[in-house]
Amino acid sequence: MKMAHLVTNCSFSPSPAVKPYARSSGYCCNVAQFQSLKCSNVVLKSCPARPRKAFAARASAVVQGQTGKTQTPLTGNEQASGHSSSRPKKVMVIGGDGYCGWATALHLSNKGYEVAIVDNLVRRLFDHQLGLDSLTPIASIQNRIRRWKSLTGKTIQLYVGDICDFEFLSEAFKSFEPDSAVHFGEQRSAPYSMIDRSRAVFTQHNNVIGTLNVLFAIKEFSEECHLVKLGTMGEYGTPNIDIEEGFITITHNGRTDTLPYPKQASSFYHLSKVHDSHNIAFTCKAWGIRATDLNQGVVYGVRTDETAMHEELSNRFDYDGIFGTALNRFCVQAAVGHPLTVYGKGGQTRGYLDIRDTVQCVELAIANPAKPGEFRVFNQFTEQFSVNELAKLVTAAGAKLGLEVQAKSVPNPRVEAEEHYYNAKHTKLMELGLEPHLLSDSLLDSLLNFAVQYKDRVDAAQIMPNVSWKKMSAKPKTVSV
Ligand code: NAD
Ligand code: USQ
């Protein structure tokens, strides 16, 4: 029996003095730091067959046969050749402890993929440091994975560390040997990136260098590995023409070419995604890497088939002014009787999708990999809404549940167009078979009921936005109360 490092019952007690954005902080951003965490009941066993460094902590020791009802997905080569060995396809989910990543890791595991999560848990640290919390209580990653194993018999491996640490990432790649790497592991909040200089620098360093390391790891250790990278619709901004999926054909001075669609990102976070896309496109050309850039819209919802199986599998649900996204925030605001915070005129239009479609889209991208050297871009959303439209929908759904919901325009903390044209294409994932869960009355009802169920956990002080694009400065800023 192959045993690896088994880590249980870790409890994090970061010092309040620790800066979230300092890589040398006492948090588990890398090897030594992870080991210096306060952990109770830590059992470390060595793996004689494949020795690896202690920081590549695997939560479950034994890789067992998959017991899911769905057909075991095969590796890319097996699919291509029509031959099948019994080896399930391996997917590394980077950022697998986060909102989209956790739901995706469970979904893929349920579908018969062999899954490993890579995460440095820095998102949990942001909460500690900013005094924020998920609406839903979330179990530690170790308990989540143990619960999943006890319910389904399926193993998810865990590598705790920072992908900006190339030594750590190399070990994870060499040890797991992924067929696909799904990369969610970034600082993903636009407001967070606009708090102050150090958070802006952290965001771009974390995201750009992390992705660059993933590209180097693929080139060095897993040439065939398909990179599925979470980008964002916000890379395109809000141009006054239709938004295409990644590329646009332009005729200029009588000559025609198909070029990357122009990027007009509107926060240091969104800009980090633009830089990522350029680096990925370049390495596809230069090194023959196969990559899919999923330009995802704003995600809403919280439950997927898998996370609903047990409260210890619950996903995070952010509602605060920094990490909370529009529709999720509005549902919580409605539940606690807070006026819906429409920023400015409320004509800001974006693509939105249900978290159940996030996991479906990623699965589709993995099952239909890009070819070697191909850089594909899919726009990943299912419907467009303006902020005013969302506020109207939530107000109506709240009334049906007996909630008195009011929408109120608050001064827009961001610099963005508040009335604009928006028409973004999103057909490529549909062509691959996406069956969207559209925002229906019933979904809104259940989201609202969910928010009502946990309303005692809401800290009303975290609802109003408190990060201003214009007032951002070089001076470190504290944003919690
Ligand atoms: P999240 O913050 O909940 O999860 C991100 C995870 O990545 C966290 O668990 C965090 O600890 C981990 N992480 C961050 N930096 C890391 C590093 N250097 N090394 C290892 N792990 C690291 O975010 P999310 O909402 O799940 O978003 C996931 C991805 O999807 C992001 O790339 C985001 O830009 C993209 N996206 C999200 C949304 C949305 O509405 N949530 C919409 C579009 C795109
Ligand atoms: N907005 C409000 N009121 C609120 C919250 C937001 O009016 O209380 C507005 C914002 O000003 C913005 C729009 O709603 O115009 C969307 O804001 P958001 O906070 O829901 O989403 P955003 O900051 O764009 O970021 C989120 C995720 C990010 C992802 C992005 C996809 O946090 O990771 O990249 O959605 S997209 O918007 O398509 O770029």
Side-chain angles (χ1 to χ4, degrees), residues 139-202:
S140 72
I141 184 65
Q142 291 79 9
N143 286 343
R144 282 174 154 187
I145 288 173
R146 263 196 297 271
R147 178 59 63 191
W148 179 245
K149 169 91 178 174
S150 78
L151 289 172
T152 64
K154 292 172 194 290
T155 297
I156 291 179
Q157 300 179 45
L158 174 66
Y159 297 86
V160 175
D162 186 341
I163 61 165
C164 293
D165 172 352
F166 190 67
E167 200 193 343
F168 159 76
L169 189 65
S170 307
E171 289 300 321
F173 262 82
K174 283 190 271 182
S175 140
F176 185 64
E177 299 174 337
D179 299 300
S180 315
V182 187
H183 180 14
F184 294 101
E186 300 204 326
Q187 191 302 98
R188 70 100 175 127
S189 156
Y192 185 94
S193 75
M194 301 300 290
I195 293 174
D196 56 22
R197 186 203 64 85
S198 35
R199 264 77 166 220
V201 170
F202 170 81

Side-chain angles (χ1 to χ4, degrees), residues 111 353-361 363-364 381-382 428-438:
K111 291 282 178 175
L353 75 162
D354 189 309
I355 190 152
R356 290 172 295 176
D357 291 340
T358 294
V359 304
Q360 216 193 130
C361 290
E363 189 193 351
L364 284 168
F381 71 94
T382 57
K428 290 189 183 171
L429 283 158
M430 300 289 287
E431 282 158 18
L432 286 181
L434 172 65
E435 290 173 14
H437 295 85
L438 299 180

Side-chain angles (χ1 to χ4, degrees), residues 23 94-102 118-124 126 161-164 168 183-189 202 206-207 210 229-233 269 273 294-300 316 318 323 325 353:
R23 289 235 121 63
I94 303 171
D97 187 45
Y99 173 55
C100 300
W102 176 237
V118 173
D119 203 301
N120 64 352
L121 314 182
V122 72
R123 177 66 188 82
R124 294 178 185 249
F126 298 152
D162 186 341
I163 61 165
C164 293
F168 159 76
H183 180 14
F184 294 101
E186 300 204 326
Q187 191 302 98
R188 70 100 175 127
S189 156
F202 170 81
N206 187 63
N207 297 0
K229 165 67 172 47
L230 271 291
T232 175
M233 285 302 292
Y269 153 70
K273 296 292 207 184
L294 296 174
N295 281 345
Q296 185 170 237
V298 189
V299 184
Y300 59 79
R316 62 178 314 122
D318 300 309
F323 285 96
T325 48
L353 75 162

Side-chain angles (χ1 to χ4, degrees), residues 188-191 231-235 269-270 273 296-299 323-327 329-330 333 341-343 348 350-352 387 412 414 416 422:
R188 70 100 175 127
S189 156
T232 175
M233 285 302 292
E235 292 183 39
Y269 153 70
H270 286 100
K273 296 292 207 184
Q296 185 170 237
V298 189
V299 184
F323 285 96
T325 48
L327 182 55
R329 268 165 68 68
F330 284 179
Q333 292 166 2
T341 53
V342 172
Y343 296 169
Q348 301 93 306
R350 302 285 184 270
Y352 286 80
V387 174
N412 195 340
R414 306 185 183 198
E416 61 184 356
Y422 199 79

